[in-house]
Amino acid sequence: LIILLVLVAAFVIWGSTPARPTSAALAALQSDTQVRVTQDSSLITFSPVSEPGDTAFIFYPGGRVDYRAYSGSLHQISAGGFEVYSVEMPLSLAVFGINKADAIIRDHPEIENWVIAGHSLGGAMAAAYASNHSDTISGLVLWASYATESADLSMKNMPVLSISASNDGLSTPAKIKEYSQFLP
């Protein structure tokens, strides 16, 4: 029992120490003339100052990456006219918060089109969410990630954008190509 408690405690500590955001990412958490940024305990909202369109973007962070680390890119997406939601995950692992998009979607009935995105493990969980909610999710963006067989989207009529880099050590070009069979 003591060994189990030590292992659980070690896992919680490990999950509670994600990669920190850069100073540039933290600076992007400030509102400016194009984007209004609001934060609560587990959600960052980037709202375009101009009237937002009918499409919003939900982002799931990579495993053990602080959800604020993506703020520079998400701020830029919002400046393009999109409401953007960056979701903090339990223990910094999206596998424990796969349905976090539910509350955001429920709280914003004015949004007609939802795009879900994620990096690495967050992308895999975003793909799984999209697969299970294809009636609600209009599109998927994978950042150095891929859909697995359990999140098979190959028969769905859903646009998917997959962004990757050749030097990524986890989501290698070979893995992304191998798993592309599960995309539309």
Side-chain angles (χ1 to χ4, degrees):
L1 182 61
I2 292 174
I3 292 173
L4 179 62
L5 290 175
V6 168
L7 290 174
V8 168
F11 179 77
V12 169
I13 291 168
W14 175 79
S16 300
T17 55
R20 308 305 311 170
T22 64
S23 58
L26 292 174
L29 290 170
Q30 301 302 313
S31 296
D32 59 25
T33 58
Q34 293 183 300
V35 177
R36 184 177 54 259
V37 181
T38 56
Q39 299 177 62
D40 67 21
S41 62
S42 63
L43 184 70
I44 303 168
T45 304
F46 300 88
S47 302
V49 171
S50 63
E51 189 65 31
D54 62 357
T55 301
F57 192 84
I58 300 171
F59 187 79
Y60 284 5
R64 295 196 64 236
V65 179
D66 187 307
Y67 74 122
R68 299 172 299 164
Y70 304 91
S71 297
S73 297
L74 300 180
H75 193 112
Q76 289 179 352
I77 291 168
S78 183
F82 300 96
E83 193 86 8
V84 178
Y85 303 91
S86 180
V87 183
E88 183 179 33
M89 292 295 172
L91 297 176
S92 300
L93 296 167
V95 71
F96 295 127
I98 190 171
N99 291 317
K100 287 254 185 162
D102 286 346
I104 297 167
I105 293 168
R106 181 189 63 241
D107 292 346
H108 297 280
E110 73 280 6
I111 301 295
E112 293 177 31
N113 303 297
W114 290 98
V115 175
I116 192 162
H119 167 238
S120 194
L121 176 63
M125 296 302 102
Y129 187 88
S131 178
N132 293 328
H133 297 85
S134 59
D135 57 326
T136 306
I137 299 299
S138 302
L140 171 67
V141 180
L142 300 170
W143 291 5
S145 189
Y146 43 84
T148 61
E149 184 175 6
S150 63
D152 189 349
L153 293 158
S154 63
M155 301 307 286
K156 308 280 185 185
N157 185 20
M158 179 182 298
V160 176
L161 174 63
S162 177
I163 302 168
S164 61
S166 59
N167 289 336
D168 190 307
L170 297 174
S171 294
T172 62
K175 272 189 180 174
I176 289 173
K177 184 177 180 182
E178 174 188 349
Y179 286 95
S180 67
Q181 66 181 311
F182 302 117
L183 296 177

mmCIF file of all heavy atoms in Angstrom, residues 21-30 32 34-35 37 44 46 57 59 66-80 84 86 143:
data_model
loop_
_atom_site.group_PDB
_atom_site.id
_atom_site.type_symbol
_atom_site.label_atom_id
_atom_site.label_comp_id
_atom_site.label_asym_id
_atom_site.label_seq_id
_atom_site.Cartn_x
_atom_site.Cartn_y
_atom_site.Cartn_z
ATOM 1 N N PRO A 21 5.724 28.057 -19.939
ATOM 2 C CA PRO A 21 5.629 28.927 -21.112
ATOM 3 C C PRO A 21 6.824 29.880 -21.187
ATOM 4 O O PRO A 21 7.415 30.228 -20.163
ATOM 5 C CB PRO A 21 4.328 29.703 -20.880
ATOM 6 C CG PRO A 21 4.080 29.625 -19.421
ATOM 7 C CD PRO A 21 4.724 28.366 -18.926
ATOM 8 N N THR A 22 7.159 30.287 -22.399
ATOM 9 C CA THR A 22 8.228 31.262 -22.597
ATOM 10 C C THR A 22 7.733 32.654 -22.211
ATOM 11 O O THR A 22 6.524 32.873 -22.053
ATOM 12 C CB THR A 22 8.674 31.292 -24.064
ATOM 13 O OG1 THR A 22 7.570 31.744 -24.865
ATOM 14 C CG2 THR A 22 9.151 29.913 -24.530
ATOM 15 N N SER A 23 8.649 33.581 -22.118
ATOM 16 C CA SER A 23 8.257 34.959 -21.811
ATOM 17 C C SER A 23 7.398 35.532 -22.942
ATOM 18 O O SER A 23 6.477 36.312 -22.693
ATOM 19 C CB SER A 23 9.485 35.835 -21.553
ATOM 20 O OG SER A 23 10.345 35.826 -22.664
ATOM 21 N N ALA A 24 7.665 35.134 -24.189
ATOM 22 C CA ALA A 24 6.840 35.593 -25.316
ATOM 23 C C ALA A 24 5.411 35.064 -25.193
ATOM 24 O O ALA A 24 4.454 35.783 -25.486
ATOM 25 C CB ALA A 24 7.458 35.159 -26.638
ATOM 26 N N ALA A 25 5.258 33.814 -24.771
ATOM 27 C CA ALA A 25 3.916 33.249 -24.589
ATOM 28 C C ALA A 25 3.178 33.975 -23.472
ATOM 29 O O ALA A 25 1.993 34.285 -23.600
ATOM 30 C CB ALA A 25 3.996 31.757 -24.292
ATOM 31 N N LEU A 26 3.874 34.266 -22.396
ATOM 32 C CA LEU A 26 3.237 34.995 -21.289
ATOM 33 C C LEU A 26 2.847 36.407 -21.720
ATOM 34 O O LEU A 26 1.794 36.915 -21.315
ATOM 35 C CB LEU A 26 4.160 35.017 -20.073
ATOM 36 C CG LEU A 26 4.390 33.655 -19.409
ATOM 37 C CD1 LEU A 26 5.428 33.762 -18.299
ATOM 38 C CD2 LEU A 26 3.090 33.060 -18.885
ATOM 39 N N ALA A 27 3.671 37.036 -22.545
ATOM 40 C CA ALA A 27 3.346 38.379 -23.038
ATOM 41 C C ALA A 27 2.081 38.358 -23.894
ATOM 42 O O ALA A 27 1.314 39.324 -23.907
ATOM 43 C CB ALA A 27 4.520 38.948 -23.830
ATOM 44 N N ALA A 28 1.842 37.256 -24.607
ATOM 45 C CA ALA A 28 0.656 37.127 -25.461
ATOM 46 C C ALA A 28 -0.621 36.975 -24.651
ATOM 47 O O ALA A 28 -1.721 36.981 -25.218
ATOM 48 C CB ALA A 28 0.828 35.948 -26.416
ATOM 49 N N LEU A 29 -0.498 36.853 -23.333
ATOM 50 C CA LEU A 29 -1.674 36.778 -22.468
ATOM 51 C C LEU A 29 -2.232 38.160 -22.134
ATOM 52 O O LEU A 29 -3.205 38.279 -21.390
ATOM 53 C CB LEU A 29 -1.330 36.031 -21.175
ATOM 54 C CG LEU A 29 -1.075 34.542 -21.354
ATOM 55 C CD1 LEU A 29 -0.499 33.941 -20.076
ATOM 56 C CD2 LEU A 29 -2.347 33.831 -21.766
ATOM 57 N N GLN A 30 -1.623 39.181 -22.702
ATOM 58 C CA GLN A 30 -2.087 40.549 -22.488
ATOM 59 C C GLN A 30 -3.018 40.951 -23.628
ATOM 60 O O GLN A 30 -2.767 40.649 -24.786
ATOM 61 C CB GLN A 30 -0.898 41.517 -22.429
ATOM 62 C CG GLN A 30 0.086 41.198 -21.322
ATOM 63 C CD GLN A 30 -0.565 41.190 -19.950
ATOM 64 O OE1 GLN A 30 -1.310 42.101 -19.588
ATOM 65 N NE2 GLN A 30 -0.316 40.141 -19.184
ATOM 66 N N ASP A 32 -4.696 43.443 -26.343
ATOM 67 C CA ASP A 32 -4.153 44.510 -27.167
ATOM 68 C C ASP A 32 -5.276 45.077 -28.027
ATOM 69 O O ASP A 32 -6.451 44.810 -27.750
ATOM 70 C CB ASP A 32 -2.954 44.023 -28.004
ATOM 71 C CG ASP A 32 -3.284 42.872 -28.943
ATOM 72 O OD1 ASP A 32 -4.463 42.717 -29.341
ATOM 73 O OD2 ASP A 32 -2.356 42.115 -29.290
ATOM 74 N N GLN A 34 -6.248 44.277 -30.911
ATOM 75 C CA GLN A 34 -6.939 43.297 -31.746
ATOM 76 C C GLN A 34 -7.620 42.185 -30.959
ATOM 77 O O GLN A 34 -8.609 41.630 -31.418
ATOM 78 C CB GLN A 34 -5.951 42.653 -32.717
ATOM 79 C CG GLN A 34 -5.411 43.601 -33.765
ATOM 80 C CD GLN A 34 -4.511 42.861 -34.719
ATOM 81 O OE1 GLN A 34 -3.505 42.292 -34.316
ATOM 82 N NE2 GLN A 34 -4.892 42.851 -35.987
ATOM 83 N N VAL A 35 -7.052 41.842 -29.782
ATOM 84 C CA VAL A 35 -7.529 40.681 -29.025
ATOM 85 C C VAL A 35 -7.690 41.029 -27.546
ATOM 86 O O VAL A 35 -6.790 41.617 -26.934
ATOM 87 C CB VAL A 35 -6.549 39.493 -29.184
ATOM 88 C CG1 VAL A 35 -6.993 38.300 -28.348
ATOM 89 C CG2 VAL A 35 -6.409 39.096 -30.648
ATOM 90 N N VAL A 37 -7.983 39.338 -23.940
ATOM 91 C CA VAL A 37 -7.633 38.073 -23.294
ATOM 92 C C VAL A 37 -8.232 38.048 -21.899
ATOM 93 O O VAL A 37 -8.056 38.990 -21.117
ATOM 94 C CB VAL A 37 -6.097 37.895 -23.210
ATOM 95 C CG1 VAL A 37 -5.749 36.559 -22.564
ATOM 96 C CG2 VAL A 37 -5.461 38.011 -24.592
ATOM 97 N N ILE A 44 -8.302 29.973 -20.823
ATOM 98 C CA ILE A 44 -7.915 31.273 -21.361
ATOM 99 C C ILE A 44 -8.776 31.500 -22.591
ATOM 100 O O ILE A 44 -8.883 30.631 -23.454
ATOM 101 C CB ILE A 44 -6.433 31.312 -21.762
ATOM 102 C CG1 ILE A 44 -5.533 30.961 -20.581
ATOM 103 C CG2 ILE A 44 -6.071 32.690 -22.317
ATOM 104 C CD1 ILE A 44 -4.090 30.692 -20.974
ATOM 105 N N PHE A 46 -9.360 34.011 -25.831
ATOM 106 C CA PHE A 46 -8.852 35.051 -26.708
ATOM 107 C C PHE A 46 -10.019 35.477 -27.586
ATOM 108 O O PHE A 46 -10.529 34.673 -28.376
ATOM 109 C CB PHE A 46 -7.712 34.515 -27.588
ATOM 110 C CG PHE A 46 -6.524 34.001 -26.817
ATOM 111 C CD1 PHE A 46 -6.478 32.683 -26.396
ATOM 112 C CD2 PHE A 46 -5.454 34.828 -26.520
ATOM 113 C CE1 PHE A 46 -5.386 32.193 -25.697
ATOM 114 C CE2 PHE A 46 -4.350 34.354 -25.818
ATOM 115 C CZ PHE A 46 -4.317 33.038 -25.397
ATOM 116 N N PHE A 57 -12.596 28.231 -31.875
ATOM 117 C CA PHE A 57 -11.455 27.311 -31.877
ATOM 118 C C PHE A 57 -11.178 26.895 -30.438
ATOM 119 O O PHE A 57 -10.985 27.755 -29.574
ATOM 120 C CB PHE A 57 -10.281 28.108 -32.458
ATOM 121 C CG PHE A 57 -9.071 27.337 -32.835
ATOM 122 C CD1 PHE A 57 -8.984 26.717 -34.069
ATOM 123 C CD2 PHE A 57 -7.977 27.279 -31.992
ATOM 124 C CE1 PHE A 57 -7.827 26.050 -34.454
ATOM 125 C CE2 PHE A 57 -6.829 26.618 -32.356
ATOM 126 C CZ PHE A 57 -6.754 26.001 -33.592
ATOM 127 N N PHE A 59 -8.585 24.636 -28.036
ATOM 128 C CA PHE A 59 -7.242 24.065 -28.120
ATOM 129 C C PHE A 59 -6.899 23.242 -26.885
ATOM 130 O O PHE A 59 -7.017 23.715 -25.759
ATOM 131 C CB PHE A 59 -6.200 25.172 -28.292
ATOM 132 C CG PHE A 59 -4.830 24.625 -28.556
ATOM 133 C CD1 PHE A 59 -4.484 24.187 -29.810
ATOM 134 C CD2 PHE A 59 -3.910 24.519 -27.531
ATOM 135 C CE1 PHE A 59 -3.228 23.647 -30.053
ATOM 136 C CE2 PHE A 59 -2.659 23.987 -27.761
ATOM 137 C CZ PHE A 59 -2.313 23.547 -29.026
ATOM 138 N N ASP A 66 2.370 23.341 -20.150
ATOM 139 C CA ASP A 66 1.492 24.362 -19.580
ATOM 140 C C ASP A 66 0.610 24.947 -20.694
ATOM 141 O O ASP A 66 1.104 25.323 -21.754
ATOM 142 C CB ASP A 66 2.373 25.455 -18.954
ATOM 143 C CG ASP A 66 1.588 26.481 -18.175
ATOM 144 O OD1 ASP A 66 0.624 27.057 -18.729
ATOM 145 O OD2 ASP A 66 1.952 26.733 -17.017
ATOM 146 N N TYR A 67 -0.668 25.018 -20.448
ATOM 147 C CA TYR A 67 -1.607 25.471 -21.475
ATOM 148 C C TYR A 67 -1.383 26.917 -21.890
ATOM 149 O O TYR A 67 -1.819 27.333 -22.959
ATOM 150 C CB TYR A 67 -3.056 25.224 -21.049
ATOM 151 C CG TYR A 67 -3.614 26.144 -19.976
ATOM 152 C CD1 TYR A 67 -4.743 26.899 -20.229
ATOM 153 C CD2 TYR A 67 -3.037 26.243 -18.717
ATOM 154 C CE1 TYR A 67 -5.298 27.721 -19.264
ATOM 155 C CE2 TYR A 67 -3.577 27.051 -17.748
ATOM 156 C CZ TYR A 67 -4.703 27.801 -18.017
ATOM 157 O OH TYR A 67 -5.236 28.607 -17.054
ATOM 158 N N ARG A 68 -0.655 27.685 -21.109
ATOM 159 C CA ARG A 68 -0.331 29.071 -21.479
ATOM 160 C C ARG A 68 0.777 29.130 -22.526
ATOM 161 O O ARG A 68 0.980 30.161 -23.154
ATOM 162 C CB ARG A 68 0.083 29.861 -20.243
ATOM 163 C CG ARG A 68 -1.018 29.944 -19.194
ATOM 164 C CD ARG A 68 -0.525 30.555 -17.907
ATOM 165 N NE ARG A 68 0.548 29.719 -17.358
ATOM 166 C CZ ARG A 68 1.397 30.120 -16.407
ATOM 167 N NH1 ARG A 68 1.311 31.332 -15.905
ATOM 168 N NH2 ARG A 68 2.342 29.303 -15.973
ATOM 169 N N ALA A 69 1.503 28.029 -22.723
ATOM 170 C CA ALA A 69 2.654 28.012 -23.632
ATOM 171 C C ALA A 69 2.265 28.276 -25.089
ATOM 172 O O ALA A 69 3.109 28.656 -25.893
ATOM 173 C CB ALA A 69 3.377 26.674 -23.519
ATOM 174 N N TYR A 70 1.014 28.087 -25.438
ATOM 175 C CA TYR A 70 0.539 28.242 -26.810
ATOM 176 C C TYR A 70 -0.063 29.622 -27.067
ATOM 177 O O TYR A 70 -0.595 29.877 -28.147
ATOM 178 C CB TYR A 70 -0.502 27.160 -27.114
ATOM 179 C CG TYR A 70 0.026 25.765 -26.872
ATOM 180 C CD1 TYR A 70 -0.130 25.152 -25.634
ATOM 181 C CD2 TYR A 70 0.716 25.085 -27.865
ATOM 182 C CE1 TYR A 70 0.377 23.881 -25.391
ATOM 183 C CE2 TYR A 70 1.227 23.816 -27.627
ATOM 184 C CZ TYR A 70 1.052 23.222 -26.391
ATOM 185 O OH TYR A 70 1.563 21.971 -26.160
ATOM 186 N N SER A 71 0.011 30.502 -26.100
ATOM 187 C CA SER A 71 -0.689 31.788 -26.166
ATOM 188 C C SER A 71 -0.292 32.652 -27.353
ATOM 189 O O SER A 71 -1.137 33.343 -27.920
ATOM 190 C CB SER A 71 -0.493 32.561 -24.864
ATOM 191 O OG SER A 71 -1.074 31.838 -23.796
ATOM 192 N N GLY A 72 0.963 32.621 -27.769
ATOM 193 C CA GLY A 72 1.379 33.424 -28.921
ATOM 194 C C GLY A 72 0.623 33.037 -30.175
ATOM 195 O O GLY A 72 0.050 33.887 -30.878
ATOM 196 N N SER A 73 0.580 31.750 -30.471
ATOM 197 C CA SER A 73 -0.124 31.264 -31.661
ATOM 198 C C SER A 73 -1.631 31.471 -31.538
ATOM 199 O O SER A 73 -2.296 31.880 -32.499
ATOM 200 C CB SER A 73 0.160 29.783 -31.882
ATOM 201 O OG SER A 73 1.534 29.589 -32.128
ATOM 202 N N LEU A 74 -2.183 31.193 -30.368
ATOM 203 C CA LEU A 74 -3.633 31.318 -30.187
ATOM 204 C C LEU A 74 -4.071 32.776 -30.249
ATOM 205 O O LEU A 74 -5.150 33.084 -30.771
ATOM 206 C CB LEU A 74 -4.053 30.639 -28.885
ATOM 207 C CG LEU A 74 -3.719 29.139 -28.824
ATOM 208 C CD1 LEU A 74 -4.170 28.549 -27.492
ATOM 209 C CD2 LEU A 74 -4.315 28.373 -29.998
ATOM 210 N N HIS A 75 -3.238 33.677 -29.736
ATOM 211 C CA HIS A 75 -3.506 35.109 -29.822
ATOM 212 C C HIS A 75 -3.595 35.521 -31.302
ATOM 213 O O HIS A 75 -4.511 36.246 -31.692
ATOM 214 C CB HIS A 75 -2.384 35.872 -29.106
ATOM 215 C CG HIS A 75 -2.671 37.309 -28.855
ATOM 216 N ND1 HIS A 75 -2.863 37.819 -27.599
ATOM 217 C CD2 HIS A 75 -2.787 38.366 -29.696
ATOM 218 C CE1 HIS A 75 -3.077 39.118 -27.676
ATOM 219 N NE2 HIS A 75 -3.041 39.472 -28.949
ATOM 220 N N GLN A 76 -2.673 35.022 -32.114
ATOM 221 C CA GLN A 76 -2.667 35.349 -33.545
ATOM 222 C C GLN A 76 -3.907 34.794 -34.259
ATOM 223 O O GLN A 76 -4.474 35.458 -35.134
ATOM 224 C CB GLN A 76 -1.407 34.821 -34.213
ATOM 225 C CG GLN A 76 -0.172 35.578 -33.829
ATOM 226 C CD GLN A 76 1.075 35.019 -34.497
ATOM 227 O OE1 GLN A 76 1.047 33.975 -35.133
ATOM 228 N NE2 GLN A 76 2.179 35.720 -34.333
ATOM 229 N N ILE A 77 -4.321 33.598 -33.903
ATOM 230 C CA ILE A 77 -5.525 33.021 -34.505
ATOM 231 C C ILE A 77 -6.731 33.892 -34.170
ATOM 232 O O ILE A 77 -7.568 34.184 -35.027
ATOM 233 C CB ILE A 77 -5.731 31.564 -34.043
ATOM 234 C CG1 ILE A 77 -4.640 30.665 -34.642
ATOM 235 C CG2 ILE A 77 -7.122 31.050 -34.423
ATOM 236 C CD1 ILE A 77 -4.563 29.276 -34.032
ATOM 237 N N SER A 78 -6.821 34.330 -32.935
ATOM 238 C CA SER A 78 -7.931 35.182 -32.517
ATOM 239 C C SER A 78 -7.906 36.520 -33.256
ATOM 240 O O SER A 78 -8.964 37.043 -33.629
ATOM 241 C CB SER A 78 -7.893 35.409 -31.005
ATOM 242 O OG SER A 78 -9.001 36.181 -30.600
ATOM 243 N N ALA A 79 -6.721 37.055 -33.494
ATOM 244 C CA ALA A 79 -6.613 38.319 -34.244
ATOM 245 C C ALA A 79 -7.188 38.182 -35.647
ATOM 246 O O ALA A 79 -7.590 39.172 -36.260
ATOM 247 C CB ALA A 79 -5.158 38.774 -34.303
ATOM 248 N N GLY A 80 -7.274 36.945 -36.140
ATOM 249 C CA GLY A 80 -7.881 36.682 -37.441
ATOM 250 C C GLY A 80 -9.400 36.655 -37.398
ATOM 251 O O GLY A 80 -10.051 36.371 -38.407
ATOM 252 N N VAL A 84 -11.116 32.034 -29.392
ATOM 253 C CA VAL A 84 -10.216 30.913 -29.153
ATOM 254 C C VAL A 84 -10.212 30.593 -27.660
ATOM 255 O O VAL A 84 -10.090 31.490 -26.823
ATOM 256 C CB VAL A 84 -8.775 31.232 -29.620
ATOM 257 C CG1 VAL A 84 -7.838 30.074 -29.312
ATOM 258 C CG2 VAL A 84 -8.748 31.559 -31.111
ATOM 259 N N SER A 86 -8.291 28.191 -24.820
ATOM 260 C CA SER A 86 -7.168 27.322 -24.465
ATOM 261 C C SER A 86 -7.501 26.680 -23.123
ATOM 262 O O SER A 86 -7.747 27.367 -22.131
ATOM 263 C CB SER A 86 -5.878 28.137 -24.361
ATOM 264 O OG SER A 86 -4.786 27.308 -24.028
ATOM 265 N N TRP A 143 -1.561 19.496 -34.329
ATOM 266 C CA TRP A 143 -0.218 20.085 -34.277
ATOM 267 C C TRP A 143 0.714 18.994 -33.776
ATOM 268 O O TRP A 143 0.664 18.616 -32.606
ATOM 269 C CB TRP A 143 -0.169 21.271 -33.313
ATOM 270 C CG TRP A 143 -0.932 22.483 -33.750
ATOM 271 C CD1 TRP A 143 -1.734 22.609 -34.849
ATOM 272 C CD2 TRP A 143 -0.981 23.738 -33.081
ATOM 273 N NE1 TRP A 143 -2.264 23.860 -34.890
ATOM 274 C CE2 TRP A 143 -1.827 24.585 -33.832
ATOM 275 C CE3 TRP A 143 -0.403 24.247 -31.916
ATOM 276 C CZ2 TRP A 143 -2.095 25.898 -33.462
ATOM 277 C CZ3 TRP A 143 -0.674 25.553 -31.553
ATOM 278 C CH2 TRP A 143 -1.501 26.373 -32.309
#
